[in-house]
Amino acid sequence: MTRRVRKAVFPVAGLGTRLLPATKSVPKEMLTIVDRPLIQYAIDEAREAGIEQMIFVTGRGKSSLDDYFDIAFELETTMSGKGKSLDPLAPSRSGFGEIVSVRQQQPLGLGHAVWCARDIVGDEPFAVLLPDELMLGRPNCLAQMVEAYEKVGGNVVAALEVPASETHKYGVIEPGSTDGRLTEIRAMVEKPPQGTAPSNLMLPGRYILQPEVMGQLDSQETGAGGEIQLTDAMARLIGKQPFNAFLFDGQRHDCGSASGFVIANIALALERDDVAPKVRDYLGGL
Ligand code: UTP
C-alpha cells in the first residue's frame, strides 16, 4: 500500500542569478511565459496531479508570490464595477489554506530549502517541484509520476536524457534495470565533473519523496558548489528505500536560463489560438 501524495514543496528561494538583472527585484518564478508567471504553471501541474497543499519555501523579495495567489480586492472590485470578466484571475485564486509559506533565511542550497519545509510536510510522502523547470506533457509530468508511484511506492524522481557534454550541470543517476518508464536508481551524484557522470540521465526537478529524506538533510552536509544538496540526501537513502527514476514523456524547458526562457515563451505562444497566428507570422518572416 502506498500513501497518497497530498503535499508539494516549491523551493523558490534561489537568487536566480542567471536571469539578472530581471531577477534583482522580480522573483524568477514571477517572470511570465506568455501571460502566466512560471509559478502558475507549477501550481497547475500540482493541482492536476491531485496535490492538496502547496508549500512555498521563499526568501526575501519573494512576497509577490504569496500576493499573486491571494484575493486582489481592489483589482477585482474595480474590474467588476466596469463589467469586466474576472475569469482570467481564476487560476491565481488559491483555496483557503491551500498555500503555506515558510522562509529559507539564507539560500544554502536546494536540499536546505526542502528541509525548511520539514515540519509542514510531517511524516508523509511529498512532491517537490522546481518551478523554473517547465515540464509540458499530457498528462503532466507530476501526474505521470504519481501514477507510477501508486504502483511502486518509495521514491520516484523524474529523469531526462541530456547530451553527455551537459551532465556536469545537473544531478545525474546511475541507472539499473528498467521496467517501462521506470528505471531503478543505483546511485546519484550532483554536478559530476565533466567526463565522470554515471549516465546521461539528469534530474530535471520533479520528485516524489518519502519523509525520511528530511532526516538525511538534518546533517546539513554541504556538497557540490558548497550547497546543501537534495541529491546527496537522496543518494544516502538508496538501498534503504526503493528509488526509481521516471522517464518523463514530454518536453522540458529550463526557464532559469535566458535561452530556455525565450524558447518556452515561443513554444507556449504557438499553442495558444489567440496568440499563435501573429507569432507564427513573425517567426516565418525571420
Ligand atoms: P537553481 O540552481 O536554479 O538556483 O535552483 P537559482 O538561485 O534559482 O538560480 P541561478 O542558478 O542563480 O540562476 C534550483 C531551484 O532551487 C531553489 C530555486 O529557487 C530553484 O527553484 N533554491 C535553490 C532554493 O529555494 N534555495 C536555495 O538555496 C537554492
Side-chain angles (χ1 to χ4, degrees):
M1 272 282 284
T2 58
R3 282 183 296 171
R4 203 161 81 77
V5 187
R6 299 187 311 123
K7 300 184 180 182
V9 176
F10 299 76
V12 290
L15 298 177
T17 54
R18 285 169 296 157
L19 292 177
L20 284 170
T23 46
K24 185 179 171 192
S25 62
V26 180
K28 171 164 69 173
E29 300 75 18
M30 288 305 294
L31 297 177
T32 55
I33 304 295
V34 189
D35 50 12
R36 288 177 175 218
L38 269 169
I39 189 70
Q40 181 76 66
Y41 293 92
I43 291 289
D44 289 351
E45 182 180 338
R47 281 175 175 158
E48 278 170 40
I51 302 294
E52 291 163 8
Q53 186 168 55
M54 321 288 172
I55 305 163
F56 289 173
V57 182
T58 67
R60 280 181 295 286
K62 300 271 182 171
S63 49
S64 56
L65 282 157
D66 290 317
D67 291 340
Y68 175 78
F69 288 101
D70 203 347
I71 290 172
F73 184 78
E74 270 183 60
L75 178 67
E76 294 183 19
T77 310
T78 310
M79 284 173 71
S80 300
K82 291 185 174 172
K84 291 193 176 184
S85 164
L86 297 181
D87 289 351
L89 292 171
S92 66
R93 281 205 205 102
S94 59
F96 295 122
E98 185 188 14
I99 294 179
V100 184
S101 284
V102 61
R103 287 257 186 158
Q104 182 192 22
Q105 283 94 340
Q106 276 181 283
L108 298 178
L110 174 60
H112 183 260
V114 170
W115 180 78
C116 288
R118 65 198 178 284
D119 285 337
I120 309 173
V121 166
D123 188 28
E124 58 180 288
F126 64 103
V128 178
L129 296 93
L130 308 189
D132 57 343
E133 294 278 359
L134 183 56
M135 309 291 269
L136 304 175
R138 289 198 189 94
N140 72 45
C141 182
L142 189 63
Q144 291 181 31
M145 290 170 64
V146 166
E147 199 189 331
Y149 163 80
E150 280 168 358
K151 289 182 192 132
V152 295
N155 302 271
V156 177
V157 300
L160 275 180
E161 266 186 50
V162 289
S165 59
E166 288 185 20
T167 48
H168 64 285
K169 298 188 215 159
Y170 304 110
V172 180
I173 66 158
E174 182 187 326
S177 56
T178 295
D179 179 9
R181 296 209 153 266
L182 284 171
T183 296
E184 176 206 353
I185 300 181
R186 293 213 176 116
M188 55 178 104
V189 53
E190 185 64 35
K191 299 189 179 64
Q194 254 170 347
T196 67
S199 75
N200 60 351
L201 287 172
M202 58 74 96
L203 306 175
R206 295 292 183 278
Y207 314 80
I208 293 175
L209 300 173
Q210 295 300 315
E212 286 75 16
V213 75
M214 296 297 192
Q216 295 297 326
L217 288 165
D218 280 341
S219 69
Q220 310 273 298
E221 224 171 272
T222 54
E227 297 194 339
I228 300 169
Q229 297 288 357
L230 180 61
T231 306
D232 296 341
M234 294 190 298
R236 290 196 287 272
L237 283 176
I238 295 172
K240 297 183 185 137
Q241 294 186 337
F243 244 101
N244 282 289
F246 179 80
L247 300 172
F248 163 59
D249 180 17
Q251 271 198 319
R252 165 207 177 224
H253 297 288
D254 173 13
C255 298
S257 73
S259 55
F261 178 75
V262 173
I263 292 168
N265 263 293
I266 295 171
L268 283 185
L270 291 175
E271 282 186 12
R272 280 267 299 262
D273 291 343
D274 55 336
V275 180
K278 282 194 175 171
V279 176
R280 200 175 290 117
D281 277 358
Y282 176 73
L283 293 174
L286 290 178

